[in-house]
Amino acid sequence: MHANGQTAFAGIIGSPVGHSLSPVFQNAAFEAVGLNWVYLAFDIAPGELQKSIAGLSACGCRGLNITMPYKRDILPLLDDLDETALRVDAANTIEFRNGKLIGHNTDGAGFIKSLRQDAAFDPEGSDALIIGAGGAARSISVALGQVGVRSLKILNRDTGKAERLVRLIGSYFPDCLVEVADSGGVDPAGFDLLVNATSVGMENNPGLPLMLEALTPAQVVYDIIYWPLETEFLRIAAEKGAQTINGLRMLLFQGAESFSIWTGLDAPVEHMGAALKER
Ligand code: NDP
């Protein structure tokens, strides 16, 4: 694509953003559907968020993704939030609609889409274990509540944070059996779905979020980390017999959801995935 006088733009704001894979698949998406748009990464210094949003908005930005560390800081700058962003209390997508800034959160929807497509797993009525109680765990817990998971256990190093997440999910989804998991007493065999939503397993945070025993192919172990592509946790889970998925597909599908919010078009997921794979 060659930019010209009619080229529109969208982008991602965060800090740092140099490593972001979103420009790779969003630009591939624009090209695949023939949109004269370009997607850029903006590294925004702390304290410059408000000015940056106002500037991008004034320049006719068509859509934004928000990443670390601004997913919550962005909220007071938005005119409205969709129900998911409101529940998660964080936004990863901004839609510019008739001069208004609307916040969305597509992380959880991306996770659910990946589960359905990549593992052929329907979470409705299932028993899930979420390891972690940070932003990503919150998005995924809300998404699992929305699709009618039967039970949800939350395991986190800081149990106070796990308790707060349990109360939140319980208040939104009273039919879901939600409780804090006791770190000493988690039996992986008791879950249909096990999700690592911590940063344990990344290169700068090595280790295992949970010890695993024998698993079955009917059980899905999902690690939302996408670098490395196969964490130690996923490697062991596969060895123990479970179906495993890494976080690259969640990343792809959350981006596909954002694309549709901005453009009103179905996302060309195949093209986006191919661009990501090539990279
Ligand atoms: P947060 O900082 O909000 O949460 C981090 C979580 O990891 C907390 O639960 C924290 O526990 C836990 N944790 C960190 N270090 C340790 C440790 N050494 N031992 C035990 N627990 C630990 O981060 P996010 O929720 O935003 O992101 C978590 C991971 O998810 C990151 O790796 C990120 O890259 C990935 N991610 C992937 C996405 C995708 O699309 N695939 C989307 C979003 C995130 P505690 O509360 O006790 O500190």
Short mmCIF file of all heavy atoms in Angstrom, two decimals, residues 34-103:
data_model
loop_
_atom_site.label_atom_id
_atom_site.label_comp_id
_atom_site.label_asym_id
_atom_site.label_seq_id
_atom_site.Cartn_x
_atom_site.Cartn_y
_atom_site.Cartn_z
N GLY A 34 -9.04 -3.88 0.85
CA GLY A 34 -8.94 -2.75 -0.07
C GLY A 34 -9.25 -1.40 0.56
O GLY A 34 -9.73 -0.50 -0.12
N LEU A 35 -8.97 -1.26 1.87
CA LEU A 35 -9.19 0.04 2.53
C LEU A 35 -7.90 0.85 2.45
O LEU A 35 -6.83 0.32 2.78
CB LEU A 35 -9.52 -0.17 4.01
CG LEU A 35 -10.97 -0.35 4.43
CD1 LEU A 35 -11.03 -0.49 5.96
CD2 LEU A 35 -11.83 0.82 4.00
N ASN A 36 -8.02 2.11 2.08
CA ASN A 36 -6.84 2.98 2.02
C ASN A 36 -6.57 3.55 3.42
O ASN A 36 -6.75 4.74 3.67
CB ASN A 36 -7.09 4.09 0.99
CG ASN A 36 -5.87 4.99 0.81
OD1 ASN A 36 -4.80 4.71 1.35
ND2 ASN A 36 -6.04 6.06 0.06
N TRP A 37 -6.22 2.64 4.32
CA TRP A 37 -5.95 2.99 5.71
C TRP A 37 -4.55 2.49 6.06
O TRP A 37 -4.07 1.52 5.49
CB TRP A 37 -6.91 2.29 6.68
CG TRP A 37 -8.32 2.77 6.70
CD1 TRP A 37 -9.02 3.36 5.67
CD2 TRP A 37 -9.23 2.66 7.79
NE1 TRP A 37 -10.32 3.61 6.07
CE2 TRP A 37 -10.47 3.19 7.37
CE3 TRP A 37 -9.14 2.15 9.09
CZ2 TRP A 37 -11.60 3.24 8.20
CZ3 TRP A 37 -10.25 2.19 9.92
CH2 TRP A 37 -11.46 2.74 9.48
N VAL A 38 -3.94 3.14 7.04
CA VAL A 38 -2.67 2.66 7.55
C VAL A 38 -2.77 2.61 9.08
O VAL A 38 -3.53 3.37 9.68
CB VAL A 38 -1.51 3.58 7.07
CG1 VAL A 38 -1.62 4.97 7.64
CG2 VAL A 38 -0.16 2.98 7.38
N TYR A 39 -2.05 1.65 9.68
CA TYR A 39 -2.10 1.44 11.13
C TYR A 39 -0.70 1.70 11.70
O TYR A 39 0.27 1.09 11.27
CB TYR A 39 -2.54 0.01 11.41
CG TYR A 39 -2.77 -0.35 12.87
CD1 TYR A 39 -4.06 -0.35 13.40
CD2 TYR A 39 -1.72 -0.72 13.69
CE1 TYR A 39 -4.27 -0.70 14.73
CE2 TYR A 39 -1.93 -1.08 15.02
CZ TYR A 39 -3.21 -1.07 15.53
OH TYR A 39 -3.44 -1.43 16.84
N LEU A 40 -0.62 2.60 12.67
CA LEU A 40 0.68 3.03 13.21
C LEU A 40 0.76 2.77 14.71
O LEU A 40 -0.27 2.67 15.38
CB LEU A 40 0.85 4.53 12.96
CG LEU A 40 0.77 4.99 11.50
CD1 LEU A 40 0.61 6.51 11.43
CD2 LEU A 40 2.02 4.54 10.75
N ALA A 41 1.99 2.69 15.21
CA ALA A 41 2.19 2.53 16.66
C ALA A 41 2.67 3.85 17.25
O ALA A 41 3.60 4.46 16.73
CB ALA A 41 3.21 1.43 16.92
N PHE A 42 2.02 4.29 18.33
CA PHE A 42 2.39 5.55 18.98
C PHE A 42 2.86 5.27 20.40
O PHE A 42 2.08 4.79 21.23
CB PHE A 42 1.18 6.50 19.04
CG PHE A 42 0.61 6.85 17.69
CD1 PHE A 42 -0.52 6.20 17.20
CD2 PHE A 42 1.22 7.81 16.89
CE1 PHE A 42 -1.05 6.53 15.96
CE2 PHE A 42 0.70 8.14 15.64
CZ PHE A 42 -0.43 7.49 15.17
N ASP A 43 4.13 5.57 20.65
CA ASP A 43 4.68 5.38 22.01
C ASP A 43 4.44 6.68 22.78
O ASP A 43 5.02 7.71 22.47
CB ASP A 43 6.19 5.08 21.91
CG ASP A 43 6.73 4.53 23.21
OD1 ASP A 43 6.24 4.95 24.28
OD2 ASP A 43 7.64 3.68 23.16
N ILE A 44 3.55 6.60 23.73
CA ILE A 44 3.10 7.81 24.44
C ILE A 44 3.75 7.87 25.83
O ILE A 44 3.61 6.92 26.62
CB ILE A 44 1.56 7.80 24.59
CG1 ILE A 44 0.88 7.64 23.23
CG2 ILE A 44 1.08 9.06 25.31
CD1 ILE A 44 1.16 8.72 22.23
N ALA A 45 4.41 8.99 26.10
CA ALA A 45 5.08 9.13 27.40
C ALA A 45 4.03 9.34 28.50
O ALA A 45 2.96 9.90 28.24
CB ALA A 45 6.01 10.33 27.35
N PRO A 46 4.35 8.88 29.73
CA PRO A 46 3.42 9.12 30.85
C PRO A 46 3.13 10.61 30.96
O PRO A 46 4.01 11.43 30.79
CB PRO A 46 4.20 8.63 32.07
CG PRO A 46 5.29 7.77 31.54
CD PRO A 46 5.59 8.21 30.15
N GLY A 47 1.89 10.94 31.18
CA GLY A 47 1.52 12.36 31.30
C GLY A 47 1.10 12.98 29.98
O GLY A 47 0.60 14.11 29.95
N GLU A 48 1.29 12.26 28.87
CA GLU A 48 0.95 12.82 27.55
C GLU A 48 -0.31 12.17 26.97
O GLU A 48 -0.66 12.42 25.81
CB GLU A 48 2.11 12.62 26.56
CG GLU A 48 3.40 13.31 26.94
CD GLU A 48 3.30 14.83 26.87
OE1 GLU A 48 2.46 15.35 26.12
OE2 GLU A 48 4.07 15.50 27.59
N LEU A 49 -0.95 11.32 27.76
CA LEU A 49 -2.07 10.55 27.20
C LEU A 49 -3.21 11.44 26.72
O LEU A 49 -3.70 11.31 25.60
CB LEU A 49 -2.56 9.54 28.26
CG LEU A 49 -3.61 8.56 27.77
CD1 LEU A 49 -3.07 7.67 26.67
CD2 LEU A 49 -4.10 7.68 28.94
N GLN A 50 -3.61 12.37 27.58
CA GLN A 50 -4.76 13.23 27.25
C GLN A 50 -4.49 14.04 25.98
O GLN A 50 -5.33 14.09 25.07
CB GLN A 50 -5.03 14.17 28.43
CG GLN A 50 -6.29 14.96 28.24
CD GLN A 50 -6.73 15.64 29.53
OE1 GLN A 50 -6.02 15.56 30.54
NE2 GLN A 50 -7.86 16.28 29.51
N LYS A 51 -3.30 14.65 25.92
CA LYS A 51 -2.94 15.46 24.74
C LYS A 51 -2.90 14.59 23.49
O LYS A 51 -3.31 15.01 22.41
CB LYS A 51 -1.55 16.09 24.96
CG LYS A 51 -1.60 17.53 25.40
CD LYS A 51 -0.26 18.20 25.21
CE LYS A 51 0.60 18.01 26.45
NZ LYS A 51 1.98 18.48 26.32
N SER A 52 -2.37 13.39 23.64
CA SER A 52 -2.22 12.50 22.48
C SER A 52 -3.59 12.12 21.92
O SER A 52 -3.81 12.13 20.71
CB SER A 52 -1.47 11.24 22.86
OG SER A 52 -0.28 11.57 23.48
N ILE A 53 -4.50 11.78 22.82
CA ILE A 53 -5.83 11.37 22.37
C ILE A 53 -6.54 12.54 21.68
O ILE A 53 -7.14 12.39 20.61
CB ILE A 53 -6.68 10.87 23.57
CG1 ILE A 53 -6.10 9.57 24.11
CG2 ILE A 53 -8.14 10.69 23.21
CD1 ILE A 53 -6.21 8.40 23.17
N ALA A 54 -6.42 13.72 22.28
CA ALA A 54 -7.05 14.91 21.68
C ALA A 54 -6.45 15.18 20.30
O ALA A 54 -7.17 15.45 19.33
CB ALA A 54 -6.87 16.12 22.59
N GLY A 55 -5.12 15.06 20.18
CA GLY A 55 -4.44 15.32 18.92
C GLY A 55 -4.82 14.31 17.86
O GLY A 55 -5.14 14.67 16.72
N LEU A 56 -4.80 13.03 18.23
CA LEU A 56 -5.13 11.98 17.26
C LEU A 56 -6.58 12.13 16.80
O LEU A 56 -6.90 11.98 15.62
CB LEU A 56 -4.91 10.60 17.88
CG LEU A 56 -3.44 10.23 18.12
CD1 LEU A 56 -3.32 8.99 19.01
CD2 LEU A 56 -2.74 9.99 16.79
N SER A 57 -7.43 12.45 17.75
CA SER A 57 -8.84 12.63 17.45
C SER A 57 -9.02 13.81 16.48
O SER A 57 -9.74 13.72 15.47
CB SER A 57 -9.56 12.87 18.78
OG SER A 57 -10.91 12.99 18.59
N ALA A 58 -8.34 14.92 16.75
CA ALA A 58 -8.44 16.11 15.89
C ALA A 58 -7.91 15.84 14.49
O ALA A 58 -8.35 16.45 13.52
CB ALA A 58 -7.69 17.27 16.53
N CYS A 59 -6.96 14.91 14.40
CA CYS A 59 -6.37 14.58 13.07
C CYS A 59 -7.19 13.54 12.32
O CYS A 59 -6.77 13.07 11.25
CB CYS A 59 -4.95 14.05 13.25
SG CYS A 59 -3.79 15.32 13.75
N GLY A 60 -8.33 13.16 12.85
CA GLY A 60 -9.23 12.26 12.12
C GLY A 60 -8.92 10.79 12.26
O GLY A 60 -9.27 9.99 11.37
N CYS A 61 -8.28 10.42 13.37
CA CYS A 61 -7.97 9.00 13.59
C CYS A 61 -9.26 8.16 13.51
O CYS A 61 -10.31 8.56 14.03
CB CYS A 61 -7.35 8.85 14.97
SG CYS A 61 -6.81 7.19 15.31
N ARG A 62 -9.20 7.01 12.83
CA ARG A 62 -10.40 6.19 12.62
C ARG A 62 -10.60 5.15 13.73
O ARG A 62 -11.70 4.59 13.86
CB ARG A 62 -10.30 5.44 11.29
CG ARG A 62 -10.21 6.34 10.08
CD ARG A 62 -11.47 7.20 9.96
NE ARG A 62 -11.36 8.06 8.80
CZ ARG A 62 -11.82 7.75 7.58
NH1 ARG A 62 -12.43 6.61 7.37
NH2 ARG A 62 -11.67 8.60 6.61
N GLY A 63 -9.55 4.86 14.47
CA GLY A 63 -9.72 3.86 15.52
C GLY A 63 -8.41 3.65 16.24
O GLY A 63 -7.35 3.83 15.65
N LEU A 64 -8.49 3.30 17.52
CA LEU A 64 -7.26 3.07 18.28
C LEU A 64 -7.35 1.80 19.10
O LEU A 64 -8.43 1.44 19.58
CB LEU A 64 -7.02 4.24 19.25
CG LEU A 64 -6.45 5.54 18.68
CD1 LEU A 64 -6.44 6.62 19.76
CD2 LEU A 64 -5.03 5.33 18.12
N ASN A 65 -6.20 1.14 19.23
CA ASN A 65 -6.04 0.14 20.27
C ASN A 65 -5.24 0.77 21.40
O ASN A 65 -4.39 1.62 21.16
CB ASN A 65 -5.27 -1.09 19.76
CG ASN A 65 -6.11 -1.99 18.90
OD1 ASN A 65 -5.76 -2.29 17.77
ND2 ASN A 65 -7.25 -2.42 19.42
N ILE A 66 -5.56 0.34 22.60
CA ILE A 66 -4.85 0.83 23.79
C ILE A 66 -4.16 -0.37 24.41
O ILE A 66 -4.79 -1.41 24.63
CB ILE A 66 -5.82 1.40 24.85
CG1 ILE A 66 -6.89 2.29 24.19
CG2 ILE A 66 -5.08 2.13 25.95
CD1 ILE A 66 -6.36 3.51 23.54
N THR A 67 -2.88 -0.21 24.70
CA THR A 67 -2.20 -1.32 25.38
C THR A 67 -1.50 -0.81 26.63
O THR A 67 -1.69 0.34 27.02
CB THR A 67 -1.26 -2.06 24.39
OG1 THR A 67 -0.75 -3.23 25.02
CG2 THR A 67 -0.08 -1.19 23.94
N MET A 68 -0.73 -1.70 27.27
CA MET A 68 -0.05 -1.37 28.52
C MET A 68 0.72 -0.05 28.38
O MET A 68 1.39 0.13 27.36
CB MET A 68 0.98 -2.46 28.85
CG MET A 68 0.34 -3.79 29.12
SD MET A 68 0.14 -4.02 30.86
CE MET A 68 1.80 -4.37 31.36
N PRO A 69 0.72 0.83 29.32
CA PRO A 69 0.05 0.72 30.61
C PRO A 69 -1.23 1.56 30.69
O PRO A 69 -1.62 2.00 31.76
CB PRO A 69 1.10 1.30 31.56
CG PRO A 69 1.73 2.39 30.73
CD PRO A 69 1.66 1.97 29.29
N TYR A 70 -1.92 1.76 29.56
CA TYR A 70 -2.99 2.77 29.55
C TYR A 70 -4.42 2.23 29.46
O TYR A 70 -5.35 3.01 29.27
CB TYR A 70 -2.74 3.74 28.38
CG TYR A 70 -1.42 4.48 28.48
CD1 TYR A 70 -0.51 4.48 27.42
CD2 TYR A 70 -1.08 5.16 29.64
CE1 TYR A 70 0.70 5.15 27.51
CE2 TYR A 70 0.14 5.84 29.75
CZ TYR A 70 1.02 5.82 28.68
OH TYR A 70 2.22 6.49 28.78
N LYS A 71 -4.58 0.91 29.59
CA LYS A 71 -5.93 0.35 29.38
C LYS A 71 -6.96 0.88 30.39
O LYS A 71 -8.15 0.94 30.11
CB LYS A 71 -5.89 -1.17 29.44
CG LYS A 71 -5.26 -1.82 28.20
CD LYS A 71 -5.36 -3.32 28.29
CE LYS A 71 -4.74 -3.97 27.06
NZ LYS A 71 -4.89 -5.42 27.05
N ARG A 72 -6.47 1.26 31.57
CA ARG A 72 -7.40 1.85 32.55
C ARG A 72 -7.30 3.36 32.58
O ARG A 72 -8.31 4.06 32.75
CB ARG A 72 -7.14 1.27 33.94
CG ARG A 72 -7.48 -0.20 33.98
CD ARG A 72 -7.31 -0.75 35.35
NE ARG A 72 -8.53 -0.59 36.12
CZ ARG A 72 -8.76 -1.22 37.26
NH1 ARG A 72 -7.86 -2.03 37.75
NH2 ARG A 72 -9.88 -1.04 37.90
N ASP A 73 -6.09 3.87 32.37
CA ASP A 73 -5.89 5.34 32.41
C ASP A 73 -6.74 6.03 31.35
O ASP A 73 -7.06 7.21 31.47
CB ASP A 73 -4.42 5.69 32.14
CG ASP A 73 -3.50 5.15 33.22
OD1 ASP A 73 -4.02 4.66 34.24
OD2 ASP A 73 -2.27 5.19 33.03
N ILE A 74 -7.07 5.28 30.30
CA ILE A 74 -7.80 5.89 29.19
C ILE A 74 -9.27 6.18 29.55
O ILE A 74 -9.90 7.06 28.96
CB ILE A 74 -7.73 4.96 27.94
CG1 ILE A 74 -8.11 5.68 26.67
CG2 ILE A 74 -8.59 3.72 28.09
CD1 ILE A 74 -7.11 6.63 26.16
N LEU A 75 -9.81 5.46 30.54
CA LEU A 75 -11.26 5.50 30.79
C LEU A 75 -11.82 6.91 31.00
O LEU A 75 -12.83 7.27 30.40
CB LEU A 75 -11.64 4.58 31.96
CG LEU A 75 -11.32 3.09 31.75
CD1 LEU A 75 -11.75 2.28 32.96
CD2 LEU A 75 -11.99 2.56 30.49
N PRO A 76 -11.17 7.75 31.84
CA PRO A 76 -11.77 9.09 32.05
C PRO A 76 -11.76 9.97 30.81
O PRO A 76 -12.45 11.00 30.78
CB PRO A 76 -10.87 9.72 33.14
CG PRO A 76 -9.89 8.69 33.55
CD PRO A 76 -9.99 7.51 32.65
N LEU A 77 -10.99 9.57 29.78
CA LEU A 77 -10.91 10.39 28.57
C LEU A 77 -11.97 10.00 27.54
O LEU A 77 -12.04 10.60 26.46
CB LEU A 77 -9.52 10.26 27.93
CG LEU A 77 -8.33 10.56 28.86
CD1 LEU A 77 -7.01 10.35 28.15
CD2 LEU A 77 -8.42 12.00 29.37
N LEU A 78 -12.78 8.98 27.86
CA LEU A 78 -13.75 8.48 26.89
C LEU A 78 -15.15 9.03 27.20
O LEU A 78 -15.47 9.33 28.34
CB LEU A 78 -13.76 6.95 26.93
CG LEU A 78 -12.38 6.30 26.64
CD1 LEU A 78 -12.46 4.79 26.80
CD2 LEU A 78 -11.89 6.67 25.26
N ASP A 79 -15.98 9.13 26.15
CA ASP A 79 -17.35 9.64 26.35
C ASP A 79 -18.27 8.54 26.82
O ASP A 79 -19.25 8.80 27.53
CB ASP A 79 -17.88 10.21 25.03
CG ASP A 79 -17.06 11.40 24.57
OD1 ASP A 79 -17.02 12.39 25.32
OD2 ASP A 79 -16.45 11.33 23.49
N ASP A 80 -17.99 7.30 26.40
CA ASP A 80 -18.88 6.20 26.77
C ASP A 80 -18.11 4.89 26.71
O ASP A 80 -17.07 4.81 26.06
CB ASP A 80 -20.07 6.17 25.80
CG ASP A 80 -21.30 5.54 26.43
OD1 ASP A 80 -21.21 5.07 27.59
OD2 ASP A 80 -22.35 5.50 25.75
N LEU A 81 -18.66 3.88 27.38
CA LEU A 81 -18.04 2.55 27.34
C LEU A 81 -19.10 1.54 26.96
O LEU A 81 -20.26 1.67 27.38
CB LEU A 81 -17.53 2.15 28.73
CG LEU A 81 -16.40 2.97 29.34
CD1 LEU A 81 -16.08 2.44 30.75
CD2 LEU A 81 -15.15 2.88 28.47
N ASP A 82 -18.73 0.51 26.19
CA ASP A 82 -19.70 -0.56 25.97
C ASP A 82 -19.75 -1.41 27.24
O ASP A 82 -18.96 -1.23 28.18
CB ASP A 82 -19.39 -1.35 24.69
CG ASP A 82 -18.30 -2.38 24.87
OD1 ASP A 82 -17.63 -2.39 25.93
OD2 ASP A 82 -18.10 -3.20 23.96
N GLU A 83 -20.72 -2.34 27.28
CA GLU A 83 -20.97 -3.07 28.53
C GLU A 83 -19.74 -3.87 28.99
O GLU A 83 -19.43 -3.94 30.18
CB GLU A 83 -22.17 -4.00 28.33
CG GLU A 83 -22.71 -4.50 29.65
CD GLU A 83 -23.77 -5.56 29.49
OE1 GLU A 83 -23.86 -6.19 28.42
OE2 GLU A 83 -24.52 -5.74 30.47
N THR A 84 -19.03 -4.45 28.02
CA THR A 84 -17.88 -5.27 28.39
C THR A 84 -16.76 -4.42 28.99
O THR A 84 -16.19 -4.77 30.04
CB THR A 84 -17.36 -6.04 27.15
OG1 THR A 84 -18.43 -6.82 26.64
CG2 THR A 84 -16.21 -6.94 27.50
N ALA A 85 -16.45 -3.30 28.35
CA ALA A 85 -15.40 -2.43 28.88
C ALA A 85 -15.79 -1.91 30.27
O ALA A 85 -14.94 -1.79 31.17
CB ALA A 85 -15.16 -1.26 27.93
N LEU A 86 -17.08 -1.67 30.44
CA LEU A 86 -17.58 -1.20 31.74
C LEU A 86 -17.34 -2.27 32.81
O LEU A 86 -16.85 -1.99 33.91
CB LEU A 86 -19.07 -0.92 31.60
CG LEU A 86 -19.72 -0.06 32.64
CD1 LEU A 86 -19.16 1.36 32.59
CD2 LEU A 86 -21.24 -0.01 32.39
N ARG A 87 -17.64 -3.54 32.47
CA ARG A 87 -17.48 -4.62 33.44
C ARG A 87 -16.00 -4.92 33.72
O ARG A 87 -15.61 -5.17 34.84
CB ARG A 87 -18.16 -5.89 32.92
CG ARG A 87 -19.66 -5.79 33.04
CD ARG A 87 -20.32 -7.02 32.48
NE ARG A 87 -21.72 -7.06 32.90
CZ ARG A 87 -22.59 -7.96 32.50
NH1 ARG A 87 -22.22 -8.89 31.63
NH2 ARG A 87 -23.82 -7.94 32.94
N VAL A 88 -15.21 -4.89 32.66
CA VAL A 88 -13.78 -5.19 32.82
C VAL A 88 -13.06 -4.01 33.46
O VAL A 88 -12.02 -4.15 34.09
CB VAL A 88 -13.14 -5.55 31.45
CG1 VAL A 88 -11.66 -5.79 31.59
CG2 VAL A 88 -13.81 -6.77 30.85
N ASP A 89 -13.67 -2.82 33.32
CA ASP A 89 -13.10 -1.60 33.87
C ASP A 89 -11.77 -1.26 33.18
O ASP A 89 -10.81 -0.82 33.84
CB ASP A 89 -12.90 -1.75 35.39
CG ASP A 89 -12.75 -0.40 36.07
OD1 ASP A 89 -13.26 0.59 35.53
OD2 ASP A 89 -12.08 -0.34 37.13
N ALA A 90 -11.71 -1.53 31.90
CA ALA A 90 -10.52 -1.22 31.09
C ALA A 90 -10.95 -1.27 29.62
O ALA A 90 -11.89 -1.99 29.28
CB ALA A 90 -9.43 -2.25 31.35
N ALA A 91 -10.25 -0.51 28.79
CA ALA A 91 -10.57 -0.51 27.35
C ALA A 91 -9.30 -0.81 26.56
O ALA A 91 -8.23 -0.31 26.90
CB ALA A 91 -11.15 0.84 26.94
N ASN A 92 -9.44 -1.64 25.53
CA ASN A 92 -8.29 -1.86 24.63
C ASN A 92 -8.58 -1.34 23.22
O ASN A 92 -7.73 -1.46 22.35
CB ASN A 92 -7.90 -3.35 24.58
CG ASN A 92 -8.86 -4.16 23.73
OD1 ASN A 92 -10.01 -3.77 23.53
ND2 ASN A 92 -8.39 -5.27 23.21
N THR A 93 -9.77 -0.77 23.03
CA THR A 93 -10.17 -0.30 21.70
C THR A 93 -10.97 0.99 21.84
O THR A 93 -11.85 1.06 22.71
CB THR A 93 -11.06 -1.37 21.01
OG1 THR A 93 -10.32 -2.59 20.94
CG2 THR A 93 -11.49 -0.96 19.61
N ILE A 94 -10.66 1.97 20.99
CA ILE A 94 -11.49 3.18 20.95
C ILE A 94 -12.12 3.28 19.57
O ILE A 94 -11.44 3.16 18.55
CB ILE A 94 -10.68 4.46 21.21
CG1 ILE A 94 -10.03 4.42 22.59
CG2 ILE A 94 -11.57 5.69 21.09
CD1 ILE A 94 -9.20 5.67 22.90
N GLU A 95 -13.43 3.49 19.61
CA GLU A 95 -14.17 3.75 18.38
C GLU A 95 -14.45 5.25 18.34
O GLU A 95 -14.90 5.81 19.35
CB GLU A 95 -15.48 2.95 18.45
CG GLU A 95 -16.43 3.21 17.32
CD GLU A 95 -17.84 2.68 17.61
OE1 GLU A 95 -18.10 2.23 18.75
OE2 GLU A 95 -18.68 2.74 16.71
N PHE A 96 -14.19 5.89 17.21
CA PHE A 96 -14.52 7.31 17.05
C PHE A 96 -15.87 7.37 16.35
O PHE A 96 -15.96 7.08 15.15
CB PHE A 96 -13.44 8.03 16.23
CG PHE A 96 -12.10 8.08 16.94
CD1 PHE A 96 -11.20 7.04 16.84
CD2 PHE A 96 -11.77 9.17 17.73
CE1 PHE A 96 -9.98 7.08 17.51
CE2 PHE A 96 -10.56 9.22 18.41
CZ PHE A 96 -9.66 8.17 18.30
N ARG A 97 -16.92 7.65 17.11
CA ARG A 97 -18.29 7.61 16.53
C ARG A 97 -18.95 8.97 16.65
O ARG A 97 -19.25 9.42 17.76
CB ARG A 97 -19.12 6.55 17.28
CG ARG A 97 -20.42 6.20 16.56
CD ARG A 97 -21.41 5.50 17.51
NE ARG A 97 -20.96 4.21 18.00
CZ ARG A 97 -21.50 3.61 19.07
NH1 ARG A 97 -22.46 4.20 19.77
NH2 ARG A 97 -21.05 2.43 19.44
N ASN A 98 -19.18 9.62 15.51
CA ASN A 98 -19.84 10.94 15.47
C ASN A 98 -19.24 11.92 16.48
O ASN A 98 -19.96 12.53 17.26
CB ASN A 98 -21.36 10.79 15.76
CG ASN A 98 -22.01 9.80 14.84
OD1 ASN A 98 -21.63 9.71 13.68
ND2 ASN A 98 -22.94 9.01 15.36
N GLY A 99 -17.92 12.00 16.47
CA GLY A 99 -17.25 12.96 17.35
C GLY A 99 -17.12 12.48 18.78
O GLY A 99 -16.58 13.20 19.64
N LYS A 100 -17.62 11.28 19.08
CA LYS A 100 -17.53 10.76 20.45
C LYS A 100 -16.52 9.61 20.50
O LYS A 100 -16.34 8.89 19.51
CB LYS A 100 -18.89 10.25 20.92
CG LYS A 100 -19.95 11.32 21.03
CD LYS A 100 -20.50 11.32 22.44
CE LYS A 100 -21.66 12.26 22.66
NZ LYS A 100 -21.33 13.67 22.54
N LEU A 101 -15.92 9.44 21.65
CA LEU A 101 -14.95 8.36 21.84
C LEU A 101 -15.61 7.25 22.67
O LEU A 101 -15.95 7.47 23.84
CB LEU A 101 -13.71 8.87 22.59
CG LEU A 101 -12.62 9.55 21.76
CD1 LEU A 101 -13.13 10.79 21.06
CD2 LEU A 101 -11.43 9.90 22.64
N ILE A 102 -15.78 6.10 22.05
CA ILE A 102 -16.45 4.98 22.73
C ILE A 102 -15.41 3.90 23.05
O ILE A 102 -14.69 3.45 22.14
CB ILE A 102 -17.55 4.35 21.84
CG1 ILE A 102 -18.39 5.41 21.13
CG2 ILE A 102 -18.42 3.38 22.66
CD1 ILE A 102 -19.20 6.31 22.00
N GLY A 103 -15.35 3.48 24.30
CA GLY A 103 -14.38 2.45 24.71
C GLY A 103 -14.97 1.06 24.62
O GLY A 103 -16.12 0.82 25.01
#
